Amino acid sequence: MTFNLCFFQDVQKHSVHTLVFRSLKRTHDMFVSDHAKPIALDDHSHKVKMSSKLKADYGAVLHMPVLKEGKDRPIHGGLHGHQTICLLGDDPEYLVTGTHAYPSGPGVALTAETKLHRMPSEAGVHSMALTLPPSQARLDAGRTAASVGDIHRHAGIAERSQPPMSSLVHMEAGGTKTSALVRKAPTMPKPAWHPPWKLFRVISGHLGWVRSIAVEPGNQWFVTGSADRTIKIWDLASGKLKLSLTGHISTVRGVAVSSRSPYLFSCGEDKQVKCWDLEYNKVIRHYHGHLSAVYGLDLHPTIDVLVTCSRDATARVWDIRSKANVHTLSGHTNTVATVKCQAAEPQIITGSHDSTIRLWDLVAGKTRATLTNHKKSVRAVVLHPRQYTFASGSADNIKQWTFPDGNFIQNLSGHNAIINTLAVNSDGVLVSGADNGTIHMWDWRTGYNFQRIHAAVQPGSLDSESGIFACMFDHSESRLITAEADKTIKVYREDDTATEESHPVNWKPEILKRKRF
């Protein structure tokens, strides 16, 4: 009797992810020894290459015979003109047509050696083919964009390490190196070091979300507008409440302090735009015209003009003194969430929930340019205090632009939230505040995100109540003030104890991942 014994062994099951990872590791181990090694030179391939080069560059003269070096062959005919050379003792097939031999210089007579018209030997043709400069077609083919390897190899090298024509001279002299092309690989500038910011003071007092901030020109106090329908004025140095103003019947969405007169301007979801006289702490003017909630306002720096933006998809330009509606800037198809003014053209910039940014001609009251790069609502726009540039914030990206036409500079990616506010100082620190309570600090020039802050909500508030609605640097640029959803105002300052060694720049350029739009 035969017994068949079957042994069953449990096979350990792995996930597809584990199996794929192991396969990748085996493939990596198999090829890692040959990685980045040059391919060995193949003699047959080299011969094929040289023969094709000979045919391409010297096909017109390859049919001509090679003369023996040692034989003297008399030449018939004069020394000038295009004539036929008849070789004695040879058949008519052995005819060479071409110019005669010529002296090496003016006034030099031909000798028995120099008057022979010798053809180069095969070895000479090969060596000549190797030393000749590449053809124009090859030069044109070589002038393409830098490869990935070139970008990594040249990263950090100065943009122009040699004169523009030096590489062409190198080519004309017979060089065959392709690394000396005129076009240089792009380089990424290293970001400047900025000290980190830390929480310095938390100010409580509002009974609703704090929606807007403005600092007065003398840098003595700042003003906030809130969902509790009040406007409060705070001492900047101590953080103590100086004054409360009541008059709005809904959330105060925007405040601005004039540098040209003792006036405070405010706007809110009650469609009202008010001008307060701070000597009497009373409303002295109303600006009527908006058909829906007014979400933001800004004062022109050089003329007495106020610009407001609203949920009625318009921005309105007001004469401060006469209260006249000078222009109604229409063109957006959804809520206009933010507006900024500057003295140079374009004097008005608006960002809207229709995901566009518009640059306006203040004199004509018409759109100068429309920027459609954003894919989501644009809730924040900020102008650089020294450069002729600005940034816009949206849920998809922060984008930087140049004036006057709104040419795109770069994307600042990584703040994956609804960005409500932006602020920038003269040192090139860009701050973005988001709906989820996070603050990101960026280097303006390079777009490097050097710090992320998520401050705790004040005791008694829910974690879901963390949100940044507005932020602003004071005029000394040593304090950053934020307006938050936990009904507090938080003040940040730079960490004086931080150094480049304690907080190094952890910079990894992502030039290949940058989006072009």
Side-chain angles (χ1 to χ4, degrees), residues 253-254 267-269 271-273 290-298 306-318 329 332 334-340 348-353 360 378-379:
R253 293 293 294 261
C267 65
E269 292 179 4
K271 310 179 195 174
Q272 296 186 45
V273 181
H290 277 296
L291 307 176
S292 189
V294 187
Y295 279 4
L297 55 77
D298 198 19
L306 171 69
V307 186
T308 56
C309 61
S310 167
R311 203 162 63 108
D312 61 13
T314 66
R316 292 179 186 259
V317 182
W318 310 89
L329 307 177
H332 285 293
N334 206 332
T335 302
V336 185
T338 180
V339 62
K340 293 292 176 188
I348 300 174
I349 302 97
T350 57
S352 169
H353 287 199
W360 300 87
V378 181
R379 296 168 183 250

Side-chain angles (χ1 to χ4, degrees), residues 19-318:
L19 295 174
V20 169
F21 182 77
R22 287 184 178 178
S23 174
L24 283 171
K25 189 174 184 305
R26 284 196 296 271
T27 308
H28 175 268
D29 293 341
M30 184 184 302
F31 292 106
V32 71
S33 58
D34 297 330
H35 181 63
K37 283 188 178 179
I39 301 173
L41 191 64
D42 181 32
D43 290 339
H44 177 68
S45 301
H46 185 66
K47 287 179 181 176
V48 171
K49 172 188 169 185
M50 294 312 303
S51 64
S52 63
K53 184 174 176 64
L54 283 170
K55 285 181 182 176
D57 293 346
Y58 308 104
V61 295
L62 277 180
H63 69 282
M64 301 174 71
V66 180
L67 293 180
K68 298 272 174 69
E69 297 289 337
K71 290 189 178 179
D72 293 333
R73 298 191 182 274
I75 300 168
H76 298 280
L79 296 177
H80 304 288
H82 186 80
Q83 301 196 10
T84 303
I85 306 171
C86 182
L87 305 176
L88 295 177
D90 290 330
D91 53 357
E93 290 182 2
Y94 208 56
L95 290 177
V96 179
T97 59
T99 56
H100 285 297
Y102 50 87
S104 58
V108 179
L110 289 175
T111 63
E113 283 290 323
T114 60
K115 70 181 181 181
L116 292 178
H117 186 77
R118 296 194 178 96
M119 295 296 292
S121 62
E122 190 173 355
V125 171
H126 277 271
S127 63
M128 186 183 295
L130 285 172
T131 56
L132 278 172
S135 63
Q136 187 62 37
R138 180 167 174 188
L139 276 175
D140 293 339
R143 288 197 192 100
T144 57
S147 65
V148 175
D150 289 336
I151 291 171
H152 288 305
R153 194 160 49 248
H154 294 290
I157 299 176
E159 192 72 26
R160 272 233 192 267
S161 56
Q162 58 180 359
M165 294 303 295
S166 60
S167 53
L168 283 178
V169 172
H170 178 75
M171 286 297 181
E172 289 168 3
T176 56
K177 293 178 71 175
T178 57
S179 62
L181 292 175
V182 177
R183 191 162 179 171
K184 285 289 177 186
T187 58
M188 282 287 291
K190 189 173 180 181
W193 181 80
H194 301 285
W197 293 70
K198 62 181 182 180
L199 185 62
F200 167 59
R201 177 178 285 138
V202 179
I203 302 171
S204 301
H206 277 296
L207 303 177
W209 289 352
V210 188
R211 299 302 303 244
S212 51
I213 301 174
V215 180
E216 65 101 10
N219 214 41
Q220 299 295 313
W221 47 267
F222 67 95
V223 57
T224 55
S226 168
D228 62 9
R229 308 187 299 279
T230 65
I231 299 165
K232 290 183 185 288
I233 296 176
W234 312 83
D235 184 68
L236 186 59
S238 64
K240 292 180 179 177
L241 180 65
K242 291 167 72 80
L243 184 67
S244 289
L245 300 173
T246 58
H248 280 281
I249 57 173
S250 188
T251 302
V252 182
R253 293 293 294 261
V255 287
V257 185
S258 173
S259 59
R260 300 163 58 84
S261 54
Y263 295 157
L264 165 68
F265 296 87
S266 64
C267 65
E269 292 179 4
D270 51 11
K271 310 179 195 174
Q272 296 186 45
V273 181
K274 296 175 183 283
C275 173
W276 304 76
D277 188 330
L278 294 177
E279 292 178 349
Y280 298 97
N281 299 332
K282 291 181 180 178
V283 177
I284 58 170
R285 293 187 187 99
H286 285 91
Y287 302 90
H288 295 287
H290 277 296
L291 307 176
S292 189
V294 187
Y295 279 4
L297 55 77
D298 198 19
L299 289 164
H300 196 284
T302 56
I303 56 177
D304 288 329
V305 158
L306 171 69
V307 186
T308 56
C309 61
S310 167
R311 203 162 63 108
D312 61 13
T314 66
R316 292 179 186 259
V317 182
W318 310 89

Side-chain angles (χ1 to χ4, degrees), residues 345-421:
E345 290 291 343
Q347 296 182 53
I348 300 174
I349 302 97
T350 57
S352 169
H353 287 199
D354 63 9
S355 77
T356 66
I357 301 159
R358 284 181 182 254
L359 313 180
W360 300 87
D361 184 338
L362 178 58
V363 177
K366 294 182 179 177
T367 303
R368 180 187 173 116
T370 304
L371 313 178
T372 59
N373 300 41
H374 280 292
K375 300 179 180 67
K376 300 287 180 70
S377 302
V378 181
R379 296 168 183 250
V381 168
V382 67
L383 313 183
H384 195 284
R386 291 186 178 173
Q387 299 177 12
Y388 198 38
T389 56
F390 73 103
S392 58
S394 175
D396 57 358
N397 261 319
I398 300 169
K399 295 181 187 291
Q400 289 177 343
W401 318 81
T402 60
F403 287 125
D405 300 320
N407 296 319
F408 175 75
I409 302 175
Q410 65 178 349
N411 277 326
L412 279 64
S413 302
H415 203 169
N416 301 317
I418 298 170
I419 294 172
N420 287 323
T421 177

